[in-house]
Amino acid sequence: MLFEILDILSRGVKLRCPCCGQGQLFKTMFRTHDRCSACDERFEREPGQSFGSVYINLGLSGTLATTGYFITHTFTSLTMLQQLNIWTPVAALGPFLFFRLAIGLWTSIIFLGEGLYLQWPNQ
């Protein structure tokens, strides 16, 4: 069971269909496919279902900026202002950097909660 969960989450990280792992989640840089090209799974059951990915994106962006700040604070002699000049733009760009990853992970989490249309694949 744990390996199945990790496999489904890894499909989200790879931006693949959480059901079969074959179809791609994105058709362009910022637009997802409506359905999987391999298994015909619908990725979004209802409008706004992917809103939860905003929280994943926010968490990843905040973690990147906070971790970066603590690493530079610990291992460099930069002043607070210099560090803010580095990590504020990183925090602002984080949501763009993590957008696809957040959508992939959230789609996998929805699939784990049986929120997509098809049942779990038989293996």
Side-chain angles (χ1 to χ4, degrees):
M1 180 72 168
L2 177 63
F3 292 116
E4 288 180 72
I5 292 171
L6 292 176
D7 182 44
I8 290 169
L9 290 175
S10 73
R11 291 174 186 174
V13 170
K14 295 174 189 173
L15 305 178
R16 298 286 183 177
C17 171
C19 184
C20 69
Q22 300 300 314
Q24 293 187 1
L25 197 57
F26 283 87
K27 58 182 163 185
T28 65
M29 187 66 175
F30 295 108
R31 295 198 55 155
T32 59
H33 288 286
D34 293 331
R35 296 180 172 275
C36 175
S37 60
C39 70
D40 204 39
E41 174 71 75
R42 275 185 71 179
F43 292 133
E44 192 168 329
R45 176 177 236 170
E46 56 193 34
Q49 180 173 315
S50 63
F51 186 71
S53 67
V54 171
Y55 296 107
I56 293 174
N57 198 337
L58 181 63
L60 291 171
S61 300
T63 301
L64 173 67
T66 304
T67 303
Y69 168 78
F70 284 121
I71 289 173
T72 56
H73 180 72
T74 303
F75 296 109
T76 67
S77 60
L78 296 174
T79 66
M80 175 74 78
L81 182 61
Q82 290 171 324
Q83 290 185 50
L84 284 174
N85 287 334
I86 294 169
W87 296 111
T88 300
V90 170
L93 291 174
F96 296 103
L97 298 173
F98 293 121
F99 174 78
R100 292 166 59 97
L101 176 61
I103 293 283
L105 281 173
W106 185 248
T107 304
S108 293
I109 290 169
I110 292 294
F111 180 74
L112 285 171
E114 299 182 87
L116 300 179
Y117 279 113
L118 296 179
Q119 297 296 320
W120 285 59
N122 294 327
Q123 296 178 347

